[in-house]
């Protein structure tokens, strides 16, 4: 039975209700059950007030005239109650949202007041602290927990005292799950402390990741240490391998140098005596001259192979260089053709040379290296051609049709060297491989000549000279090799040429008889030099070792000394140094000869005091220039030069020039006979020319010398010279 409220007490009741509502607002913030109780009481009060209002309304209707003041109070109370109801609904909704939020999160939260009594908690918090709904309002110290934290209450008191948050990692005793515990002060708007909030976050996954990271870090550190050890070991191995490679490279270089020396030593005798024999006028037999020429060419071929191997070693060591000098260009090309022509004739093919441009008389380049490249290309063309022929073209790039359109004008002044053949050709998939070391074609023929280094070395030489070797080929049809070089014209060559006399015609010298000492432990090599110097009428002394050489030098005071570099006991360096220490011999010209071509050997020779270093096999033309310079000689030349070379092209050229000068000594057929020959020559029909001149001897024996000239030019495929010879004699006869 609810107590009745008197009219005079309504205002007081309203005052109490306001106070009650304020208390309810406060209590709603503290606990859910107190808030719910307030809500129920308010609802009950509201219902009672609504009933009272109904009763008052009825009473007011009856007492309308006497209860106006009460009606006004009731209307105000109704308005206030409606506002309170709205606030209660908002608070209830907010409270529900907070409860839903706390229930839905995995974070354990416990709200405590200043006395550490439990106000509220989330389900996730029960994992750490053994809480149930009935524990709300109980002190936390009365409730057990599952944490390995013995000072939990002390930490809570610390936060209450200092208002500073505390964070600590803890574990659950049962399963060892890692939790991050945070204790934060619960402050109101005025910064006054209203309690603490205790939260628990499961960091077990994070800890596992940390452990994994630590393990990975440890493994990485260990791997790094092992890697560092391996790097150190590998570095040591590489250093050892490098030392071994350097030692092997030095051994290889020493081996190559030794082999080169051993091969050059007999080659010096072979090539030296062939040069002497070719200069000897007493040998008139063509068969003998032919044999000498074969020996000389074979020796030169072997020397080229040795130089190829040495040059490859220099390329591998990046020590190869290209030394430039002036040399006569057109005779250089003619000599190349003459050399290759011998092999072409042996193979039964034709070798043609075409100068597409007016070439300079002399150029500034490396004659030796250029000859090496062209001999390789021409030699390969002849070697791989069984039928047809080889065409060697030289001219400015602009004069090559129609290839000139492929090049910029800046390339037009370059000179192109092009070798065409009708040989076996090269498969497309092999074009890139032919420039690799030790690569040879073997599909169609078992060619075994050469080292397989020719094109490799040639490409490197041409690149050093500023060009590139290109190739086009069709299998079974033939190949075309070409390269372009920027060869500067030697403008001073004409002045040099005016002072030039052929070294091959030297037979002696004017003036006193100079003494020359030759010191060499190799009898054959010493004999080559001694024979050549005796042929030139020098007073020659010879010694087979360094000791005897020093004794002869001190006794006879020679004008020039040749000493071999490698000798037993006292070598060439020691002999040179001792000679320089002798007052009477300190100024004598010393020439060191050696089969070694290594730059180190040259440097050592010059450091020891020698004047000139000569590489074996000796080049007699170079030797003659050396003697002329250092002894200030004036040579005696043979007036009636006897041609001793079997090189048919050279013989033909020299005889043609000589006989052209003395054309009255030849009996020339009539222009009627020469006209058909000229047409054949212009058509390139060399076979018909040979058939035509073969019968001239039967018609008139006086035609034989002229027929021999024509036959030699035709057999050597020198079409241009053949035309010039015929035209010249046609003009003379007219």
């Amino acid at each position: 039975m609810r107590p009745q409220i008197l009219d005079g007490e309504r205002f007081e009741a309203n005052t109490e209700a306001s106070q009650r509502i304020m208390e309810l607002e406060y209590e709603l913030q503290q606990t859910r059950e107190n808030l719910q109780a307030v809500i129920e009481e308010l609802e009950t009060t509201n219902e009672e007030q609504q009933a009272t209002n109904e009763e008052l309304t009825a009473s007011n209707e009856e007492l309308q005239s006497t209860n106006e003041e009460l009606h006004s109070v009731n209307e105000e109370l109704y308005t206030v109650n409606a506002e309170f109801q709205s606030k209660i609904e908002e608070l209830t909704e907010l409270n529900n949202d907070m409860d839903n939020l706390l229930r839905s999160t995995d974070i354990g939260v416990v709200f405590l007041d200043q006395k550490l009594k439990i106000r509220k908690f989330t389900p996730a918090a029960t994992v750490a602290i053994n809480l149930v709904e009935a524990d709300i309002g109980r002190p936390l110290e009365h409730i057990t927990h599952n944490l390995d934290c013995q000072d939990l209450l002390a930490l809570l008191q610390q936060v209450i005292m200092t208002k500073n948050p505390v964070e600590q990692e803890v574990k659950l005793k049962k399963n060892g799950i890692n939790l991050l515990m945070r204790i934060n002060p619960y402050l109101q708007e005025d910064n006054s402390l209203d309690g603490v909030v205790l939260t628990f976050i499961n960091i077990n996954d994070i800890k596992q990741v940390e452990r994994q990271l630590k393990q990975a870090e440890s493994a990485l550190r260990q791997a790094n240490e092992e890697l560092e050890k391996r790097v150190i070991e590998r570095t040591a191995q590489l250093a050892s391998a490098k030392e071994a490679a350097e030692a092997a490279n030095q051994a290889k270089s020493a081996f190559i140098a030794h082999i080169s020396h051993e091969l050059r030593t007999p080659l010096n005798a072979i090539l030296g005596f062939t040069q002497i024999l070719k200069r000897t006028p007493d040998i008139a037999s063509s068969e003998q001259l032919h044999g000498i020429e074969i020996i000389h060419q074979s020796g030169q071929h072997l020397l080229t192979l040795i130089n190829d191997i040495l040059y490859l070693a220099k390329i591998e060591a990046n020590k190869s260089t290209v030394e430039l000098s002036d040399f006569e260009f057109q005779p250089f090309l003619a000599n190349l053709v003459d050399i290759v022509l011998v092999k072409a004739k042996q193979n039964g093919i034709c070798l043609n040379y075409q100068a597409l441009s007016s070439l300079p008389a002399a150029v500034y380049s490396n004659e030796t290296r250029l000859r090496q490249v062209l001999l390789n290309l021409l030699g390969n063309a002849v070697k791989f051609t069984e039928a047809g022929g080889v065409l060697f073209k030289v001219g400015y790039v602009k004069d090559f049709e129609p290839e000139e359109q492929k090049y910029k004008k800046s390339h037009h002044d370059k000179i192109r060297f092009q070798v065409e053949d009708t040989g076996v050709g090269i498969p497309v998939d092999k074009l890139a491989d032919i420039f690799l070391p030790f690569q040879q074609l073997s599909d169609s023929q078992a060619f075994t000549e050469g080292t397989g280094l020719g094109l490799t070395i040639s490409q490197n030489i041409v690149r050093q000279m500023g060009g590139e070797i290109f190739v086009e080929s069709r299998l079974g049809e033939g190949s075309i090799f070409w390269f372009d070089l920027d060869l500067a014209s030697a403008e001073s060559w004409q002045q040099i040429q005016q002072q030039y006399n052929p070294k091959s015609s030297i037979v002696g010298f004017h003036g006193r008889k100079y003494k020359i000492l030759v010191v060499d432990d190799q009898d054959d090599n010493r004999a080559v030099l001694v024979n050549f110097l005796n042929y030139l009428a020098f007073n020659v002394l010879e010694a087979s070792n360094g000791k005897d050489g020093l004794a002869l030098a001190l006794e006879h005071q020679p004008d020039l000394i040749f000493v071999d570099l490698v000798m037993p006991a006292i070598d060439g360096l020691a002999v040179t140094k001792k000679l320089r220490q002798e007052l009477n011999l300190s100024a004598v010209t010393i020439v060191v000869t050696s089969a070694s071509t290594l730059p180190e050997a040259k440097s050592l020779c010059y450091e020891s005091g020698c004047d000139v270093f000569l590489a074996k096999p000796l080049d007699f033309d170079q030797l003659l220039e050396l003697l002329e310079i250092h002894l200030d000689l004036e040579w005696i030349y043979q007036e009636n030069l006897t041609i001793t070379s079997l090189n048919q092209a050279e013989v033909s050229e020299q005889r043609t020039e000589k006989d052209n000068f003395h054309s009255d000594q030849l009996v020339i057929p009539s222009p009627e006979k020469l006209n058909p020959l000229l047409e054949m020559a212009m058509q390139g029909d060399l076979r018909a020319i040979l058939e035509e001149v073969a019968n001239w001897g039967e018609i008139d024996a006086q035609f034989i010398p002229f027929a021999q000239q024509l036959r030699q030019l035709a057999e050597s495929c020198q079409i241009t010279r053949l035309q010039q010879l015929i035209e010249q004699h046609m003009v003379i006869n007219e």
Side-chain angles (χ1 to χ4, degrees), residues 70-111:
L70 181 60
H71 178 69
S72 177
V73 172
N74 283 334
E75 288 180 352
E76 292 178 2
L77 183 58
Y78 181 80
T79 302
V80 171
N81 286 335
E83 292 176 356
F84 287 160
Q85 182 66 30
S86 176
K87 290 182 179 181
I88 290 171
E89 291 176 355
E90 291 177 1
L91 290 173
T92 301
E93 184 178 357
L94 179 60
N95 187 66
N96 292 335
D97 291 341
M98 291 179 62
D99 289 341
N100 291 332
L101 176 62
L102 292 173
R103 279 195 303 269
S104 63
T105 182
D106 292 333
I107 301 175
V109 183
V110 179
F111 294 93

Side-chain angles (χ1 to χ4, degrees), residues 233-245:
E233 294 174 357
R234 184 59 177 166
T235 303
Q237 292 174 359
L238 290 175
S240 176
K242 181 181 178 182
E243 293 176 358

Side-chain angles (χ1 to χ4, degrees), residues 64 66 133 233 313 357 451 476 497 642:
Q64 188 173 7
T66 60
E133 290 293 332
E233 294 174 357
S357 311
T451 61
Q497 196 66 5
T642 301

Side-chain angles (χ1 to χ4, degrees), residues 377 380-382 384-385 389-392 418-428 431 434 441 455 470-482:
L377 295 180
N380 285 344
V382 171
F384 291 102
T385 301
V390 176
L391 178 59
F392 178 36
Q418 183 165 301
V419 178
E420 304 176 10
D421 65 66
T422 58
V424 296
I426 306 169
V428 176
L431 288 176
I434 61 173
L441 294 178
L455 284 176
F470 299 96
V471 58
E472 291 180 358
S473 183
R474 289 187 179 182
L475 191 62
E477 297 183 11
S479 305
I480 301 176
F481 287 81
W482 76 92

